[in-house]
Amino acid sequence: MKTNMGTIDRGGRLVIAAVLAYLALGAGMLSGVLFWLALVVAGVFTLTALVGNCPLYSIVGLKTCKNC
């Protein structure tokens, strides 16, 4: 699997994932469907940031890294 995400994109995804996880788990601000949706999105963002590959970027043909 080739990397198609740059470091800023990956870092931004980790920050967004942390905020969503905090809202769902830490602050208790979300409940029901929004709770689960926030956790799923946070998980997907974390996984794609750690792997460095976004399947949606591959479909669209987008790359946010300079040397990939």
Side-chain angles (χ1 to χ4, degrees), residues 2-65:
K2 293 186 77 176
T3 301
N4 62 3
M5 294 170 52
T7 54
I8 294 174
D9 190 5
R10 293 169 83 173
R13 284 175 183 249
L14 287 174
V15 169
I16 292 170
V19 168
L20 287 173
Y22 174 75
L23 289 175
L25 300 171
M29 296 178 69
L30 304 176
S31 62
V33 173
L34 287 179
F35 171 82
W36 291 108
L37 183 63
L39 287 182
V40 167
V41 171
V44 168
F45 273 23
T46 301
L47 182 65
T48 57
L50 294 177
V51 172
N53 185 296
C54 177
L56 185 60
Y57 283 5
S58 297
I59 292 170
V60 177
L62 181 66
K63 293 183 181 181
T64 60
C65 59

